[in-house]
Structure formats: C-alpha cells, structure tokens
Amino acid sequence: MKPWERQDNESSPAFEAFVMYRDTQPRSLRKVSESLSKSKSLIGSWSKTHTWGQRCQQWDNELDNASQQTQLDATKEMKRRQIDMAIEMQRIACEAFKLLRENLSTKTISADNSVRMADIGAKLERLNRDEPSSIERVQESDFSKFTTEELFTYRALLLKSGHAE
C-alpha cells in the first residue's frame, strides 16, 4: 500500500480530508476544515494520527519522479526522431551525390543543397548521439620554451578538458 492511498486504520471521512489536503495548494488544515465543515481540531487530529505531512511529502516525490520520467521519455523520443530525420537527410544527400556523380541533373536538389544537407544531417546525428558537433584540434605549438612543470600543468589541463588521452 502506498502512503498516499487510504491506510488500513483510516476512515473514509479521514481519507477524504487527507485527499483534499494533499491535492490543495497551498496545503492548509484550516481550508480543509472549512471545506468539509469539520472542526479544525478534528482535522488536526486526523492529520497527526495519519501522518499527512509525511504522506504528502512522499506524494510530492512520486509526482516529481513521474514528471522527470515523462521528461526523460520525451527527450528520448525527440532524440530518436531527430536521429531518424538526420539519417534520412544523409540518405537523401547520398542519393543526390550519386546522381551528381553520374552526371545526371536533378531539379529538386542542387549540389550546394546536397552538401548542406549532408553537413546538417551529420551534425544532427552527432548531436543526438551526444557527440560534439564539430571536431576541434589543438594547433601545433612550440613547447621548447615551456618548463617541465608548465608542460605537466598543460597536460593535466588537456586531460581535464577531455582533449588529451
């Protein structure tokens, strides 16, 4: 039995009051008392006996977990959809490249648009596979003027940034 469900030792009126308390924002024993035409002391007693505060906290956690899961599911679906779209764009670009290579003309996709589509498709796929959308390279440098300590510091920084192995 979940804490926000009716408890074994909880009467129907007490549970009805709990549900109203749980689902009202901001939560107020006074408002529940007034809404149900029950004494504030009775509502307070039910709240204490049936640990409404603790149960509401667990309810709030459950709602938050469900909301997070919904967001995760939506993000996964968005990534799947965008990866599919990126792959399809790349497939179309490959077909256009084949046509261009065979010296066939097409009025629907120009060479410039084919290159753009391939670039965008590749970037979308990389982005949705959590890969960087561009590849950066450390330029060649003259390290002869660095001290040994400076070289070790530089290497440590590169390792920390993920730009060195």
Side-chain angles (χ1 to χ4, degrees):
M1 170 182 329
K2 297 182 177 167
W4 49 86
E5 296 173 346
R6 184 175 171 190
Q7 304 301 293
D8 290 335
N9 62 344
E10 192 169 32
S11 68
S12 291
F15 181 65
E16 176 188 4
F18 167 70
V19 169
M20 182 176 285
Y21 178 75
R22 180 194 70 196
D23 296 345
T24 302
Q25 293 297 329
R27 292 182 177 123
S28 164
L29 296 177
R30 183 186 54 76
K31 287 181 183 178
V32 172
S33 164
E34 291 170 0
S35 294
L36 296 176
S37 300
K38 304 276 186 196
S39 73
K40 189 174 178 194
S41 63
L42 176 62
I43 298 299
S45 174
W46 284 345
S47 172
K48 184 176 180 180
T49 301
H50 301 294
T51 61
W52 286 6
Q54 181 183 3
R55 290 166 68 193
C56 285
Q57 182 62 56
Q58 291 170 318
W59 172 249
D60 293 343
N61 291 346
E62 179 72 12
L63 290 179
D64 185 56
N65 288 341
S67 176
Q68 288 180 40
Q69 188 59 52
T70 299
Q71 290 175 341
L72 285 172
D73 292 344
T75 300
K76 286 178 186 176
E77 173 57 25
M78 175 197 68
K79 285 186 169 207
R80 186 204 55 76
R81 204 175 49 247
Q82 290 184 354
I83 286 170
D84 289 349
M85 182 175 60
I87 290 170
E88 180 64 11
M89 289 173 74
Q90 290 175 78
R91 187 192 62 73
I92 291 169
C94 286
E95 287 176 16
F97 286 138
K98 286 177 189 173
L99 290 173
L100 289 171
R101 214 178 2 213
E102 295 168 4
N103 291 322
L104 298 174
S105 66
T106 175
K107 293 181 182 178
T108 56
I109 301 177
S110 68
D112 187 45
N113 284 339
S114 296
V115 170
R116 243 184 258 144
M117 191 179 299
D119 182 50
I120 291 169
K123 283 180 182 175
L124 279 172
E125 183 180 7
R126 291 181 65 76
L127 239 145
N128 283 284
R129 293 189 191 279
D130 294 324
E131 296 292 330
S133 59
S134 63
I135 300 171
E136 295 177 20
R137 196 177 85 147
V138 176
Q139 298 297 319
E140 297 297 323
S141 300
D142 178 13
F143 294 106
S144 64
K145 295 178 182 157
F146 283 84
T147 66
T148 305
E149 183 180 329
E150 289 171 331
L151 287 171
F152 278 112
T153 301
Y154 180 67
R155 183 175 187 279
L157 289 170
L158 285 174
L159 286 170
K160 190 173 183 178
S161 71
H163 286 94
E165 297 175 359

PDB file of all heavy atoms in Angstrom, residues 44-65:
ATOM      1  N   GLY A  44      -6.984  18.437  12.522  1.00  0.00           N
ATOM      2  CA  GLY A  44      -5.627  18.395  13.079  1.00  0.00           C
ATOM      3  C   GLY A  44      -5.301  17.033  13.663  1.00  0.00           C
ATOM      4  O   GLY A  44      -4.187  16.526  13.508  1.00  0.00           O
ATOM      5  N   SER A  45      -6.270  16.435  14.329  1.00  0.00           N
ATOM      6  CA  SER A  45      -6.078  15.111  14.913  1.00  0.00           C
ATOM      7  C   SER A  45      -5.876  14.064  13.823  1.00  0.00           C
ATOM      8  O   SER A  45      -4.981  13.210  13.912  1.00  0.00           O
ATOM      9  CB  SER A  45      -7.288  14.758  15.773  1.00  0.00           C
ATOM     10  OG  SER A  45      -7.197  13.430  16.236  1.00  0.00           O
ATOM     11  N   TRP A  46      -6.710  14.102  12.790  1.00  0.00           N
ATOM     12  CA  TRP A  46      -6.546  13.170  11.667  1.00  0.00           C
ATOM     13  C   TRP A  46      -5.178  13.349  11.013  1.00  0.00           C
ATOM     14  O   TRP A  46      -4.509  12.387  10.659  1.00  0.00           O
ATOM     15  CB  TRP A  46      -7.642  13.373  10.631  1.00  0.00           C
ATOM     16  CG  TRP A  46      -8.983  12.812  10.986  1.00  0.00           C
ATOM     17  CD1 TRP A  46      -9.267  11.916  11.967  1.00  0.00           C
ATOM     18  CD2 TRP A  46     -10.216  13.117  10.344  1.00  0.00           C
ATOM     19  NE1 TRP A  46     -10.608  11.635  11.993  1.00  0.00           N
ATOM     20  CE2 TRP A  46     -11.224  12.359  10.990  1.00  0.00           C
ATOM     21  CE3 TRP A  46     -10.594  13.958   9.299  1.00  0.00           C
ATOM     22  CZ2 TRP A  46     -12.566  12.421  10.619  1.00  0.00           C
ATOM     23  CZ3 TRP A  46     -11.926  13.999   8.922  1.00  0.00           C
ATOM     24  CH2 TRP A  46     -12.906  13.242   9.575  1.00  0.00           C
ATOM     25  N   SER A  47      -4.799  14.603  10.845  1.00  0.00           N
ATOM     26  CA  SER A  47      -3.511  14.900  10.204  1.00  0.00           C
ATOM     27  C   SER A  47      -2.360  14.279  10.996  1.00  0.00           C
ATOM     28  O   SER A  47      -1.454  13.673  10.423  1.00  0.00           O
ATOM     29  CB  SER A  47      -3.325  16.415  10.091  1.00  0.00           C
ATOM     30  OG  SER A  47      -2.026  16.719   9.657  1.00  0.00           O
ATOM     31  N   LYS A  48      -2.416  14.432  12.323  1.00  0.00           N
ATOM     32  CA  LYS A  48      -1.343  13.903  13.167  1.00  0.00           C
ATOM     33  C   LYS A  48      -1.391  12.372  13.208  1.00  0.00           C
ATOM     34  O   LYS A  48      -0.368  11.709  13.034  1.00  0.00           O
ATOM     35  CB  LYS A  48      -1.473  14.483  14.574  1.00  0.00           C
ATOM     36  CG  LYS A  48      -0.356  14.075  15.491  1.00  0.00           C
ATOM     37  CD  LYS A  48      -0.469  14.742  16.842  1.00  0.00           C
ATOM     38  CE  LYS A  48       0.678  14.311  17.734  1.00  0.00           C
ATOM     39  NZ  LYS A  48       0.598  14.925  19.049  1.00  0.00           N
ATOM     40  N   THR A  49      -2.578  11.815  13.416  1.00  0.00           N
ATOM     41  CA  THR A  49      -2.736  10.357  13.526  1.00  0.00           C
ATOM     42  C   THR A  49      -2.306   9.647  12.246  1.00  0.00           C
ATOM     43  O   THR A  49      -1.669   8.591  12.290  1.00  0.00           O
ATOM     44  CB  THR A  49      -4.203   9.998  13.839  1.00  0.00           C
ATOM     45  OG1 THR A  49      -4.569  10.630  15.074  1.00  0.00           O
ATOM     46  CG2 THR A  49      -4.397   8.499  13.948  1.00  0.00           C
ATOM     47  N   HIS A  50      -2.656  10.242  11.107  1.00  0.00           N
ATOM     48  CA  HIS A  50      -2.406   9.576   9.821  1.00  0.00           C
ATOM     49  C   HIS A  50      -1.214  10.180   9.074  1.00  0.00           C
ATOM     50  O   HIS A  50      -1.075   9.969   7.867  1.00  0.00           O
ATOM     51  CB  HIS A  50      -3.678   9.620   8.960  1.00  0.00           C
ATOM     52  CG  HIS A  50      -4.846   8.953   9.605  1.00  0.00           C
ATOM     53  ND1 HIS A  50      -4.893   7.599   9.854  1.00  0.00           N
ATOM     54  CD2 HIS A  50      -6.014   9.459  10.086  1.00  0.00           C
ATOM     55  CE1 HIS A  50      -6.041   7.298  10.447  1.00  0.00           C
ATOM     56  NE2 HIS A  50      -6.737   8.406  10.606  1.00  0.00           N
ATOM     57  N   THR A  51      -0.377  10.907   9.768  1.00  0.00           N
ATOM     58  CA  THR A  51       0.897  11.474   9.249  1.00  0.00           C
ATOM     59  C   THR A  51       0.745  12.107   7.864  1.00  0.00           C
ATOM     60  O   THR A  51       1.446  11.751   6.916  1.00  0.00           O
ATOM     61  CB  THR A  51       2.012  10.400   9.233  1.00  0.00           C
ATOM     62  OG1 THR A  51       1.624   9.329   8.378  1.00  0.00           O
ATOM     63  CG2 THR A  51       2.329   9.887  10.623  1.00  0.00           C
ATOM     64  N   TRP A  52      -0.175  13.065   7.762  1.00  0.00           N
ATOM     65  CA  TRP A  52      -0.445  13.704   6.481  1.00  0.00           C
ATOM     66  C   TRP A  52       0.786  14.388   5.890  1.00  0.00           C
ATOM     67  O   TRP A  52       1.026  14.306   4.689  1.00  0.00           O
ATOM     68  CB  TRP A  52      -1.570  14.723   6.626  1.00  0.00           C
ATOM     69  CG  TRP A  52      -2.933  14.135   6.775  1.00  0.00           C
ATOM     70  CD1 TRP A  52      -3.273  12.818   6.899  1.00  0.00           C
ATOM     71  CD2 TRP A  52      -4.154  14.858   6.834  1.00  0.00           C
ATOM     72  NE1 TRP A  52      -4.623  12.668   7.039  1.00  0.00           N
ATOM     73  CE2 TRP A  52      -5.202  13.922   6.996  1.00  0.00           C
ATOM     74  CE3 TRP A  52      -4.485  16.204   6.779  1.00  0.00           C
ATOM     75  CZ2 TRP A  52      -6.537  14.283   7.091  1.00  0.00           C
ATOM     76  CZ3 TRP A  52      -5.815  16.573   6.878  1.00  0.00           C
ATOM     77  CH2 TRP A  52      -6.833  15.617   7.027  1.00  0.00           C
ATOM     78  N   GLY A  53       1.552  15.056   6.751  1.00  0.00           N
ATOM     79  CA  GLY A  53       2.735  15.769   6.238  1.00  0.00           C
ATOM     80  C   GLY A  53       3.711  14.837   5.553  1.00  0.00           C
ATOM     81  O   GLY A  53       4.179  15.099   4.442  1.00  0.00           O
ATOM     82  N   GLN A  54       4.012  13.732   6.209  1.00  0.00           N
ATOM     83  CA  GLN A  54       4.948  12.748   5.649  1.00  0.00           C
ATOM     84  C   GLN A  54       4.378  12.119   4.379  1.00  0.00           C
ATOM     85  O   GLN A  54       5.082  11.949   3.379  1.00  0.00           O
ATOM     86  CB  GLN A  54       5.248  11.677   6.692  1.00  0.00           C
ATOM     87  CG  GLN A  54       6.220  10.618   6.238  1.00  0.00           C
ATOM     88  CD  GLN A  54       6.437   9.540   7.295  1.00  0.00           C
ATOM     89  OE1 GLN A  54       5.810   9.547   8.361  1.00  0.00           O
ATOM     90  NE2 GLN A  54       7.321   8.611   6.999  1.00  0.00           N
ATOM     91  N   ARG A  55       3.101  11.770   4.425  1.00  0.00           N
ATOM     92  CA  ARG A  55       2.466  11.157   3.251  1.00  0.00           C
ATOM     93  C   ARG A  55       2.433  12.122   2.076  1.00  0.00           C
ATOM     94  O   ARG A  55       2.638  11.713   0.922  1.00  0.00           O
ATOM     95  CB  ARG A  55       1.053  10.695   3.610  1.00  0.00           C
ATOM     96  CG  ARG A  55       1.057   9.499   4.542  1.00  0.00           C
ATOM     97  CD  ARG A  55      -0.299   9.239   5.157  1.00  0.00           C
ATOM     98  NE  ARG A  55      -1.272   8.787   4.179  1.00  0.00           N
ATOM     99  CZ  ARG A  55      -2.586   8.729   4.420  1.00  0.00           C
ATOM    100  NH1 ARG A  55      -3.070   9.098   5.605  1.00  0.00           N
ATOM    101  NH2 ARG A  55      -3.402   8.300   3.493  1.00  0.00           N
ATOM    102  N   CYS A  56       2.181  13.398   2.353  1.00  0.00           N
ATOM    103  CA  CYS A  56       2.175  14.409   1.277  1.00  0.00           C
ATOM    104  C   CYS A  56       3.569  14.570   0.674  1.00  0.00           C
ATOM    105  O   CYS A  56       3.708  14.742  -0.540  1.00  0.00           O
ATOM    106  CB  CYS A  56       1.652  15.752   1.796  1.00  0.00           C
ATOM    107  SG  CYS A  56      -0.140  15.765   2.025  1.00  0.00           S
ATOM    108  N   GLN A  57       4.594  14.519   1.521  1.00  0.00           N
ATOM    109  CA  GLN A  57       5.969  14.610   1.009  1.00  0.00           C
ATOM    110  C   GLN A  57       6.255  13.445   0.066  1.00  0.00           C
ATOM    111  O   GLN A  57       6.829  13.620  -1.008  1.00  0.00           O
ATOM    112  CB  GLN A  57       6.980  14.621   2.164  1.00  0.00           C
ATOM    113  CG  GLN A  57       8.417  14.772   1.703  1.00  0.00           C
ATOM    114  CD  GLN A  57       8.656  16.082   0.967  1.00  0.00           C
ATOM    115  OE1 GLN A  57       8.382  17.151   1.496  1.00  0.00           O
ATOM    116  NE2 GLN A  57       9.171  16.018  -0.247  1.00  0.00           N
ATOM    117  N   GLN A  58       5.813  12.263   0.445  1.00  0.00           N
ATOM    118  CA  GLN A  58       6.024  11.094  -0.420  1.00  0.00           C
ATOM    119  C   GLN A  58       5.203  11.215  -1.710  1.00  0.00           C
ATOM    120  O   GLN A  58       5.656  10.815  -2.781  1.00  0.00           O
ATOM    121  CB  GLN A  58       5.684   9.812   0.346  1.00  0.00           C
ATOM    122  CG  GLN A  58       6.701   9.539   1.448  1.00  0.00           C
ATOM    123  CD  GLN A  58       6.276   8.426   2.382  1.00  0.00           C
ATOM    124  OE1 GLN A  58       5.121   8.336   2.780  1.00  0.00           O
ATOM    125  NE2 GLN A  58       7.221   7.567   2.729  1.00  0.00           N
ATOM    126  N   TRP A  59       4.009  11.782  -1.607  1.00  0.00           N
ATOM    127  CA  TRP A  59       3.173  12.039  -2.783  1.00  0.00           C
ATOM    128  C   TRP A  59       3.876  13.023  -3.718  1.00  0.00           C
ATOM    129  O   TRP A  59       3.946  12.814  -4.929  1.00  0.00           O
ATOM    130  CB  TRP A  59       1.813  12.567  -2.350  1.00  0.00           C
ATOM    131  CG  TRP A  59       0.942  13.032  -3.471  1.00  0.00           C
ATOM    132  CD1 TRP A  59       0.575  14.326  -3.739  1.00  0.00           C
ATOM    133  CD2 TRP A  59       0.324  12.233  -4.493  1.00  0.00           C
ATOM    134  NE1 TRP A  59      -0.215  14.382  -4.859  1.00  0.00           N
ATOM    135  CE2 TRP A  59      -0.387  13.102  -5.341  1.00  0.00           C
ATOM    136  CE3 TRP A  59       0.317  10.881  -4.775  1.00  0.00           C
ATOM    137  CZ2 TRP A  59      -1.114  12.660  -6.443  1.00  0.00           C
ATOM    138  CZ3 TRP A  59      -0.403  10.433  -5.872  1.00  0.00           C
ATOM    139  CH2 TRP A  59      -1.108  11.320  -6.690  1.00  0.00           C
ATOM    140  N   ASP A  60       4.402  14.111  -3.138  1.00  0.00           N
ATOM    141  CA  ASP A  60       5.118  15.111  -3.938  1.00  0.00           C
ATOM    142  C   ASP A  60       6.318  14.479  -4.637  1.00  0.00           C
ATOM    143  O   ASP A  60       6.591  14.766  -5.808  1.00  0.00           O
ATOM    144  CB  ASP A  60       5.575  16.283  -3.066  1.00  0.00           C
ATOM    145  CG  ASP A  60       4.417  17.105  -2.529  1.00  0.00           C
ATOM    146  OD1 ASP A  60       3.291  16.998  -3.059  1.00  0.00           O
ATOM    147  OD2 ASP A  60       4.645  17.868  -1.569  1.00  0.00           O
ATOM    148  N   ASN A  61       7.040  13.602  -3.918  1.00  0.00           N
ATOM    149  CA  ASN A  61       8.187  12.912  -4.522  1.00  0.00           C
ATOM    150  C   ASN A  61       7.735  12.025  -5.678  1.00  0.00           C
ATOM    151  O   ASN A  61       8.391  11.960  -6.725  1.00  0.00           O
ATOM    152  CB  ASN A  61       8.923  12.067  -3.483  1.00  0.00           C
ATOM    153  CG  ASN A  61       9.638  12.905  -2.443  1.00  0.00           C
ATOM    154  OD1 ASN A  61       9.826  14.115  -2.611  1.00  0.00           O
ATOM    155  ND2 ASN A  61      10.006  12.290  -1.339  1.00  0.00           N
ATOM    156  N   GLU A  62       6.606  11.333  -5.493  1.00  0.00           N
ATOM    157  CA  GLU A  62       6.066  10.470  -6.552  1.00  0.00           C
ATOM    158  C   GLU A  62       5.708  11.287  -7.788  1.00  0.00           C
ATOM    159  O   GLU A  62       6.022  10.911  -8.920  1.00  0.00           O
ATOM    160  CB  GLU A  62       4.840   9.708  -6.031  1.00  0.00           C
ATOM    161  CG  GLU A  62       4.189   8.812  -7.047  1.00  0.00           C
ATOM    162  CD  GLU A  62       4.995   7.564  -7.394  1.00  0.00           C
ATOM    163  OE1 GLU A  62       5.982   7.251  -6.693  1.00  0.00           O
ATOM    164  OE2 GLU A  62       4.635   6.892  -8.373  1.00  0.00           O
ATOM    165  N   LEU A  63       5.043  12.426  -7.571  1.00  0.00           N
ATOM    166  CA  LEU A  63       4.689  13.299  -8.692  1.00  0.00           C
ATOM    167  C   LEU A  63       5.932  13.822  -9.408  1.00  0.00           C
ATOM    168  O   LEU A  63       5.977  13.868 -10.641  1.00  0.00           O
ATOM    169  CB  LEU A  63       3.838  14.485  -8.206  1.00  0.00           C
ATOM    170  CG  LEU A  63       2.427  14.179  -7.753  1.00  0.00           C
ATOM    171  CD1 LEU A  63       1.744  15.461  -7.278  1.00  0.00           C
ATOM    172  CD2 LEU A  63       1.616  13.523  -8.848  1.00  0.00           C
ATOM    173  N   ASP A  64       6.943  14.193  -8.620  1.00  0.00           N
ATOM    174  CA  ASP A  64       8.178  14.698  -9.220  1.00  0.00           C
ATOM    175  C   ASP A  64       8.876  13.606 -10.022  1.00  0.00           C
ATOM    176  O   ASP A  64       9.354  13.853 -11.130  1.00  0.00           O
ATOM    177  CB  ASP A  64       9.114  15.244  -8.140  1.00  0.00           C
ATOM    178  CG  ASP A  64      10.353  15.887  -8.737  1.00  0.00           C
ATOM    179  OD1 ASP A  64      10.205  16.804  -9.570  1.00  0.00           O
ATOM    180  OD2 ASP A  64      11.467  15.463  -8.384  1.00  0.00           O
ATOM    181  N   ASN A  65       8.923  12.388  -9.480  1.00  0.00           N
ATOM    182  CA  ASN A  65       9.535  11.267 -10.205  1.00  0.00           C
ATOM    183  C   ASN A  65       8.795  10.995 -11.508  1.00  0.00           C
ATOM    184  O   ASN A  65       9.419  10.757 -12.552  1.00  0.00           O
ATOM    185  CB  ASN A  65       9.552  10.006  -9.342  1.00  0.00           C
ATOM    186  CG  ASN A  65      10.552  10.082  -8.212  1.00  0.00           C
ATOM    187  OD1 ASN A  65      11.478  10.880  -8.238  1.00  0.00           O
ATOM    188  ND2 ASN A  65      10.351   9.270  -7.199  1.00  0.00           N
TER     189      ASN A  65
END
